[in-house]
């Protein structure tokens, strides 16, 4: 197997899912400096300081507008990835990244906190678009035996982005008042690196063959990414998938919602993707510093402790008593959950969409995934403070209940996808989508049954 495939996975991660992880964590460290800048700017403009309520509103808007941008970017991922291809769509995602970095980096020089809001919006557009296209691109470029491994690199990119965001926010790096505009503009660096490196790689072989009907381009891409070995079986799988689709164009969201052939795939996707938010991880990310402070960690050490959060997500914190070592036990439990989340929902979601949807539904499934993720992130960020106020220390019981329910669902419903072709996985889901005599009749009528020949 050629090293080019793994090099491509690295290049995709530079601004793909990495950008999302970076922007989620990078906003925590300069919060007090940005709020101070807003107060000073407001005072210069209007001659009086903004009220506490106005400050809370503006800061909440700066944080949450990233999710709005992410929603816009995710909504456009399906169209752009089909219209221009996976590679060009990902390259286009770097444009709002650079624009957002420029706006935020020049905000203090121009005396405009509105530029920070606009910059966060553009960064969200990049995050929503790049994350979806990155996972789709990586999954379609990998052969069957490496599909899961390559797709999971997107999760690694997210975790790395979060870690880098926390690391850059240290006082020894960029986490000081004089450098917070540079910190916010740091995402320009990976965007420029990807713009310079990604053009040297081919587009997705599946996209070239199935969507563009370019068999020669597909074979050339396969040889560049996988080496000069015998890849006939893999190409035959693509041709079988192309035949099963029957020349149909990429499906829309309405087709995805109403088509019986993907009903259980859609339900599985929605429930598993919801784990990304309803597990409670992203919510706690927004309050990482305050959580460790309340757990008993000295404020001067919270920036360093939070670096551990950058490797995954967090489920809950535990109460501590008067013993000095208990807060650090709380941090240890946080890191244990971080590791378990990375092994489970954090890693599985990335390759799942590629494996359970065939080519005609895949771009729309990624749009559905992105829109669901960003809406839940936005809503949960708004309602979580009220959940805390109502339930106090038991606020994570809601997330615990959902996690247990999802574990049972995955055990009983989700078929194993490892080592199977897309069509074999589709056959597994057809047993759920077309149960009973009426279901079998509908299956035969719609010609959804595909016979897969295994090559020895």
């Amino acid at each position: 197997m050629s090293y080019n495939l793994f090099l491509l996975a690295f290049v995709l991660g530079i601004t793909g899912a990495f950008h999302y992880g970076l922007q989620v964590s990078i906003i925590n460290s300069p919060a007090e400096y940005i709020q101070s800048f807003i107060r000073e700017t407001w005072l210069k403009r209007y001659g009086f300081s903004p009220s506490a309520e106005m400050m809370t509103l503006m800061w909440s808007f700066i944080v949450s507008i990233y999710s709005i941008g992410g929603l816009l970017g995710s909504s456009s991922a399906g169209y752009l990835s089909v219209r221009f291809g996976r590679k060009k769509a990902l390259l286009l995602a770097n444009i709002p990244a650079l624009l957002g970095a420029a706006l935020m980096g020049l905000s203090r020089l121009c005396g405009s906190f509105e530029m920070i809001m606009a910059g966060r919006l553009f960064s969200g557009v990049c995050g929503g678009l790049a994350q979806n296209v990155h996972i789709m691109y990586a999954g379609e470029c990998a052969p069957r035996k490496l599909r899961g491994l390559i797709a999971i690199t997107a999760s690694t990119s997210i975790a790395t982005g979060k870690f880098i965001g926390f690391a850059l926010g240290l006082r020894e790096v960029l986490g000081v008042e004089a450098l917070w505009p540079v910190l916010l503009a740091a995402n320009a660096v990976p965007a420029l690196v990807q713009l310079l490196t990604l053009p040297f790689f081919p587009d997705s072989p599946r996209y070239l063959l199935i969507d563009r009907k370019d068999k020669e381009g597909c074979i050339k891409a396969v040889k560049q990414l996988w080496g000069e070995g015998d890849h006939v079986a893999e190409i035959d799988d693509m041709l079988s998938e192309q035949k099963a689709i029957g020349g149909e164009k990429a499906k829309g969201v309405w087709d995805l919602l109403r088509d019986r052939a993907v009903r259980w795939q859609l339900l599985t996707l929605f429930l598993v993707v919801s784990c990304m938010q309803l597990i409670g991880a992203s919510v706690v990310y927004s309050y990482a510093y305050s959580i460790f402070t309340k757990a008993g960690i000295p404020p001067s050490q919270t920036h360093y402790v939070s670096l551990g959060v950058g490797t995954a997500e967090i489920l809950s914190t535990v109460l501590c008593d008067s013993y000095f070592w208990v807060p650090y036990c709380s941090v240890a439990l946080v890191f244990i959950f971080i590791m378990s989340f990375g092994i489970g929902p954090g890693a599985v979601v990335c390759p799942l969409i590629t494996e359970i949807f065939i080519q005609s539904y895949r771009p729309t499934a990624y749009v559905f995934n992105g829109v669901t993720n960003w809406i839940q992130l936005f809503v949960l960020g708004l309602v979580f403070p009220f959940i805390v106020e109502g339930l106090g220390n038991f606020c994570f019981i809601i997330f615990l209940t959902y996690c247990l329910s999802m574990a049972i669902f995955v055990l009983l419903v989700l078929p194993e996808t490892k080592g199977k072709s897309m069509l074999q996985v589709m056959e597994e889901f057809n047993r759920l989508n077309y149960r009973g005599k009426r279901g079998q009749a509908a299956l035969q009528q719609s010609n959804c049954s595909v016979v897969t020949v295994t090559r020895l």
Side-chain angles (χ1 to χ4, degrees):
M1 184 62 59
S2 172
Y3 70 92
N4 285 340
L5 178 62
F6 301 97
L7 189 59
L8 172 62
F10 172 77
V11 172
L12 292 179
I14 291 177
T15 299
F18 175 88
H19 181 91
Y20 167 77
L22 181 68
Q23 288 297 321
V24 166
S25 61
I26 209 171
I27 196 66
N28 286 284
S29 177
E32 58 180 313
Y33 305 134
I34 295 175
Q35 293 178 32
S36 177
F37 167 68
I38 294 174
R39 279 191 289 266
E40 293 174 1
T41 304
W42 189 282
L43 181 62
K44 290 179 180 179
R45 287 183 185 178
Y46 307 109
F48 61 91
S49 298
S51 64
E53 292 78 11
M54 179 60 68
M55 282 300 304
T56 302
L57 177 62
M58 286 191 289
W59 177 246
S60 298
F61 190 71
I62 287 175
V63 174
S64 61
I65 198 173
Y66 180 73
S67 298
I68 298 175
L71 180 61
L72 296 174
S74 296
S75 302
S76 62
Y79 170 77
L80 293 176
S81 63
V82 174
R83 176 67 177 82
F84 299 105
R86 288 27 169 176
K87 184 173 77 171
K88 289 182 180 179
L90 196 55
L91 289 172
L92 288 173
N94 292 288
I95 297 176
L98 293 173
L99 183 57
L103 287 170
M104 291 186 288
L106 297 173
S107 58
R108 186 172 64 178
L109 182 64
C110 298
S112 172
F113 54 80
E114 293 87 354
M115 292 176 65
I116 302 177
M117 298 176 183
R120 288 280 292 174
L121 177 66
F122 283 114
S123 295
V125 172
C126 170
L129 175 59
Q131 185 181 10
N132 278 1
V133 178
H134 172 193
I135 302 172
M136 190 190 320
Y137 193 178
E140 292 182 356
C141 284
R144 188 192 308 179
K145 63 181 180 180
L146 294 176
R147 192 169 57 216
L149 175 64
I150 296 300
I152 285 175
T153 58
S155 298
T156 306
S157 299
I158 294 175
T160 304
K162 291 175 180 177
F163 180 85
I164 296 297
F166 279 123
L168 292 176
L170 295 176
R171 294 185 180 92
E172 292 83 356
V173 189
L174 298 176
V176 294
E177 186 171 7
L179 296 177
W180 66 260
V182 180
L183 177 62
L184 294 182
N187 62 307
V189 176
L192 289 173
V193 172
Q194 190 180 80
L195 282 173
L196 294 174
T197 56
L198 187 57
F200 293 98
F201 292 91
D203 213 325
S204 157
R206 285 186 174 274
Y207 170 78
L208 292 173
L209 179 62
I210 299 176
D211 290 303
R212 290 297 183 188
K213 310 295 189 298
D214 184 4
K215 187 174 181 179
E216 292 184 2
C218 171
I219 295 174
K220 183 179 179 181
V222 164
K223 289 182 178 180
Q224 182 178 348
L225 294 175
W226 302 352
E228 294 292 338
D230 182 12
H231 306 299
V232 175
E234 294 282 351
I235 295 177
D236 283 348
D237 281 343
M238 298 182 201
L239 290 171
S240 298
E241 186 176 346
Q242 183 187 42
K243 184 178 180 181
I245 294 172
E248 292 183 347
K249 296 182 179 180
K251 302 289 187 178
V253 175
W254 180 244
D255 297 318
L256 183 69
L257 294 175
R258 70 178 182 177
D259 197 334
R260 183 174 183 174
V262 291
R263 183 174 300 170
W264 277 92
Q265 291 95 313
L266 182 63
L267 178 62
T268 300
L269 174 62
F270 175 76
L271 294 176
V272 174
V273 167
S274 296
C275 267
M276 298 294 292
Q277 305 303 332
L278 297 182
I279 203 170
S282 297
V283 168
V284 183
Y285 244 112
S286 302
Y287 302 96
Y289 293 160
S290 61
I291 283 176
F292 287 129
T293 301
K294 291 180 180 179
I297 302 298
S300 60
Q301 299 180 18
T302 54
H303 285 73
Y304 305 97
V305 173
S306 295
L307 285 176
V309 183
T311 57
E313 312 292 341
I314 187 172
L315 174 63
S316 64
T317 57
V318 297
L319 297 176
C320 57
D321 54 27
S322 58
Y323 296 100
F324 76 93
W325 50 267
V326 176
Y328 298 93
C329 290
S330 175
V331 173
L333 292 174
V334 163
F335 292 165
I336 290 173
F337 180 78
I338 285 169
M339 295 174 64
S340 65
F341 177 79
I343 296 172
V348 170
V349 169
C350 292
L352 181 66
I353 306 174
T354 301
E355 294 181 333
I356 68 175
F357 288 95
I358 58 176
Q359 190 79 4
S360 57
Y361 286 98
R362 195 172 296 132
T364 303
Y366 274 101
V367 171
F368 180 84
N369 162 62
V371 170
T372 300
N373 184 62
W374 288 101
I375 290 178
Q376 289 180 349
L377 178 64
F378 179 75
V379 172
L380 202 55
L382 290 178
V383 303
F384 183 71
F386 300 99
I387 296 176
V388 174
E389 184 177 346
L391 299 180
N393 296 322
F394 298 98
C395 59
F396 287 96
I397 294 296
I398 298 174
F399 304 126
L400 174 62
T401 303
Y402 186 83
C403 289
L404 291 175
S405 302
M406 271 307 304
I408 297 173
F409 175 85
V410 170
L411 178 64
L412 298 179
V413 176
L414 183 63
E416 179 57 65
T417 59
K418 183 178 180 180
K420 296 180 181 178
S421 69
M422 312 293 187
L423 297 181
Q424 288 173 326
V425 174
M426 186 180 74
E427 287 293 326
E428 294 275 355
F429 273 105
N430 278 345
R431 297 171 186 173
L432 297 172
N433 294 324
Y434 298 97
R435 289 182 294 184
K437 294 183 179 180
R438 292 184 178 179
Q440 290 300 315
L443 176 62
Q444 294 177 2
Q445 185 178 0
S446 61
N447 295 320
C448 288
S449 182
V450 178
V451 178
T452 303
V453 179
T454 304
R455 294 174 58 93
L456 297 178

